[in-house]
């Protein structure tokens, strides 16, 4: 049964006035078309338990808002075939963005989730002035908005992912150790530099966003998942019952700073022995190479480094394989601790951990099986992300477009009610 999807944030008021009910029903129809596919109005009514007149009226409004369109006649229906209605992909657009240690990225999706624009700049953001990084981001966003303008459209929302602790309500980055940022009012900075646009601008933790990208709406295997996202640092996300678990202030999922080795290596956060110091890409490169090695070049981007690691591993380079084995072992040790606490259906390794997954998968499973109390690791399976390094920005774009699924009235009607014209 389709349920109205509330997306990143549970909808607030829960009021029961007519407008709220109407909005919820519009959302219900739109989500049902996304999750269950195109259908006739009659079948939609049956599936949703609403009467046909109500569904016809809701569909008319969604068509008027450009979010739904009529398709061909339904096949195989008993009696008179009904015209099917379907999501109109070009009805709305959302933009995701990501500020990471080595790059700034934007990606726009349409209502059907198709990517319509993707832009990226390589930039070393470590220890950077937030103002300058935001300038780079805003330049990319202007380009992305221009790409949408070519499609005669604009975004409903921009969601910016950042590798740090984000206070979701204020859009402030409390601390981003790898960027060297503290208390940066990122959402308001971006909003101001964009010239206070009419669309929403939000900020969220990039690993939480990556988790959203892995959790497909309507897929029962991906209802309760953990995502361990590896880049230079390690982040994560918990998706419970299909929704991201954020915690009290939105700081949940900082798996990288679980202390797993007391007295171990110094972490970017100032503590020692964090999980990140054992499984982050920097640690892998430290173990696999010496000073002066190509892998340590600051000019090389993340993908190229990971491609090179995979190439060396495939050629049987012992040092690379030993480093990967060590990382895999520690990934498994931490994953077992998380599995004992949360018993997810699936743990998705994403970012660089997904890219080198073929080499570490077996070690992770071995440690998981031996470290989890429940037999067969509690049924938890290890999966590799297929989204590559784009998971966070894809999740950000998904959160952006999900605003329309939560509230279809964000997109204006083509025909205004008469009283609005006077
Ligand atoms: Zn740490």
């Amino acid at each position: 049964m389709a349920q109205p999807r509330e997306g990143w944030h549970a909808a607030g008021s829960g009021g029961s006035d007519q407008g709220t009910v109407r909005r919820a029903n519009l959302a219900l129809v739109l989500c049902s078309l996304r999750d269950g596919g195109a259908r006739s109005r009659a079948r939609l009514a049956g599936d949703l338990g609403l009467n046909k007149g109500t569904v016809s009226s809701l569909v008319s409004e969604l068509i008027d808002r450009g979010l739904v369109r009529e398709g061909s006649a339904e096949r195989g229906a008993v009696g008179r075939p009904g015209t099917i209605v379907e999501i109109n992909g070009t009805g709305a657009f959302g933009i995701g963005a990501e500020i990471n240690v080595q790059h700034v990225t934007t990606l726009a999706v349409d209502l059907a989730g198709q990517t319509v624009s993707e832009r990226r700049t390589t930039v070393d953001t470590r220890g950077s002035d937030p103002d300058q990084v935001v300038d780079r981001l805003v330049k990319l966003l202007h380009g992305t908005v221009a790409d949408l303008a070519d499609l005669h459209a604009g975004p409903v929302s921009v969601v910016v992912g950042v590798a740090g602790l984000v206070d979701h309500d204020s859009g402030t980055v409390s601390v981003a150790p790898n960027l060297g940022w503290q208390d940066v009012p990122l959402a308001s900075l971006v909003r101001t530099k964009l010239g206070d646009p009419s669309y929403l601008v939000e900020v969220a933790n990039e690993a939480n966003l990556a988790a959203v990208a892995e959790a497909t709406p309507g897929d029962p295997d991906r209802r309760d998942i953990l995502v361990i996202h590896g880049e230079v640092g390690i982040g994560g996300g918990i998706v419970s019952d299909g929704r991201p678990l954020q915690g009290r202030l939105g700081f949940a999922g900082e798996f990288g700073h679980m202390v797993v080795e007391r007295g171990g290596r110094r972490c970017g956060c100032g503590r020692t022995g964090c999980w990140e110091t054992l499984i982050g890409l920097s640690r892998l490169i430290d173990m696999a190479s010496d000073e002066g090695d190509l892998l340590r070049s600051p000019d090389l981007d993340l993908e190229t480094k990971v491609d090179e690691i995979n190439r060396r591993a495939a050629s049987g380079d012992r040092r690379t394989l030993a480093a990967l084995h060590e990382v895999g072992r520690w990934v498994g040790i931490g994953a077992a601790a998380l599995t004992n606490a949360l018993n997810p259906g699936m743990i998705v390794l994403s970012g660089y951990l997904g890219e080198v997954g073929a080499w570490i998968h077996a070690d992770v499973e071995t440690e998981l099986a031996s470290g989890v109390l429940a037999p067969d690791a509690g049924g938890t399976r290890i999966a590799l992300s297929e989204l590559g390094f784009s998971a966070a920005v894809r999740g950000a774009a998904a959160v952006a477009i999900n605003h329309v699924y939560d509230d279809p009235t964000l997109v204006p009607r083509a025909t205004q009610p008469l009283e609005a014209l006077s």
Side-chain angles (χ1 to χ4, degrees):
M1 195 75 206
Q3 294 290 330
R5 189 186 155 86
E6 290 172 340
W8 191 245
H9 233 33
S13 68
S16 59
D17 65 291
Q18 235 178 350
T20 309
V21 172
R22 176 82 179 174
R23 252 199 317 275
N25 281 337
L26 287 168
L28 189 66
V29 170
L30 198 61
C31 290
S32 179
L33 288 172
R34 174 191 62 188
D35 299 342
R39 265 159 294 163
S40 67
R41 291 169 176 83
R43 273 187 58 202
L44 261 174
D47 291 348
L48 296 173
L50 296 170
N51 75 55
K52 283 186 200 168
T54 305
V55 167
S56 283
S57 158
L58 292 167
V59 166
S60 296
E61 182 172 340
L62 290 171
I63 289 174
D64 196 27
R65 292 185 188 278
L67 304 175
V68 161
R69 66 184 170 210
E70 291 193 321
S72 51
E74 188 172 46
R75 285 182 198 171
V78 179
R80 198 168 61 88
T83 303
I84 66 161
V85 290
E86 61 192 10
I87 298 281
N88 177 24
T90 57
F93 297 86
I95 298 178
E98 184 191 3
I99 297 171
N100 213 311
V101 174
Q102 288 173 326
H103 54 79
V104 176
T105 314
T106 58
L107 185 141
V109 295
D110 68 16
L111 192 61
Q114 296 299 310
T115 300
V116 294
S117 164
E118 199 166 358
R119 288 169 178 261
R120 166 180 282 215
T121 309
T122 299
V123 47
D124 192 349
T125 54
R126 273 170 294 198
S128 57
D129 176 3
D131 227 47
Q132 286 171 7
V133 175
V134 172
D135 284 341
R136 300 288 289 271
L137 173 66
V138 165
K139 202 173 156 198
L140 275 194
L141 283 171
H142 280 313
T144 310
V145 170
D147 291 342
L148 294 184
D150 289 344
L151 301 168
H152 310 290
V156 289
S157 166
V158 170
V159 175
V160 183
V162 64
L165 289 179
V166 178
D167 183 324
H168 187 273
D169 291 345
S170 67
T172 299
V173 179
S174 302
V175 57
N178 294 313
L179 302 178
W181 290 5
Q182 210 163 352
D183 298 321
V184 175
L186 187 59
S188 72
L189 263 179
V190 173
R191 218 175 276 132
T192 304
K193 285 181 190 276
L194 279 171
D196 289 315
S198 56
Y199 47 84
L200 301 163
V201 176
E202 294 167 287
V203 177
N205 172 271
E206 56 139 23
N208 286 346
L209 293 172
V212 174
E214 301 292 347
T216 323
D219 180 349
D221 284 344
R222 292 185 175 236
R223 286 183 70 80
D224 301 300
I225 68 169
L226 286 184
V227 177
I228 303 168
H229 187 75
E231 301 213 358
V232 172
I234 296 292
I238 305 164
V239 180
S240 173
D241 199 20
R243 289 167 190 282
L245 195 86
Q246 302 187 97
R248 170 68 182 84
L249 294 174
F251 298 163
E254 284 297 333
F255 305 142
H257 303 283
M258 301 189 299
V259 173
V260 295
E261 193 188 37
R262 278 259 169 246
R265 286 165 194 79
R266 177 73 61 184
C267 180
C269 74
R271 294 169 187 79
T272 54
C274 293
W275 199 22
E276 180 169 304
T277 66
L278 294 153
I279 67 169
L281 181 61
S282 308
R283 174 64 182 148
L284 176 67
I285 288 173
D286 281 352
M287 287 191 288
S289 67
D290 292 313
E291 206 60 54
D293 191 299
L294 168 76
L295 287 176
R296 299 192 182 204
S297 162
D299 303 328
L300 219 57
D301 66 25
L302 217 58
E303 283 92 334
T304 315
K305 286 181 183 176
V306 174
D307 286 348
E308 176 62 14
I309 289 163
N310 277 326
R311 192 194 63 74
R312 290 182 192 183
S315 74
D317 179 64
R318 281 194 181 177
R319 189 164 172 191
T320 304
L321 290 169
L324 285 162
H325 170 69
E326 185 66 3
V327 164
R329 202 171 70 79
W330 278 108
V331 169
I333 289 169
L338 291 168
T339 299
N340 279 321
L342 295 162
N343 185 216
M346 193 179 280
I347 294 179
V348 181
L349 302 179
S350 75
Y352 108 83
L353 290 171
E355 299 291 309
V356 302
W359 309 105
I360 65 173
H361 197 265
D363 290 312
V364 177
E365 293 207 316
T366 301
E367 291 298 333
L368 191 72
S370 71
V372 173
L373 178 67
D376 302 323
T380 298
R381 291 189 294 127
I382 300 290
L384 305 179
S385 171
E386 286 166 6
L387 299 175
F389 289 100
S390 64
V393 76
R394 270 173 208 289
V399 170
I401 197 67
N402 276 346
H403 285 303
V404 179
Y405 284 100
D406 294 342
D407 181 5
T409 64
L410 282 176
V411 178
R413 302 180 76 128
T415 52
Q416 290 298 320
L418 283 177
E419 61 270 26
L421 297 174
S422 58

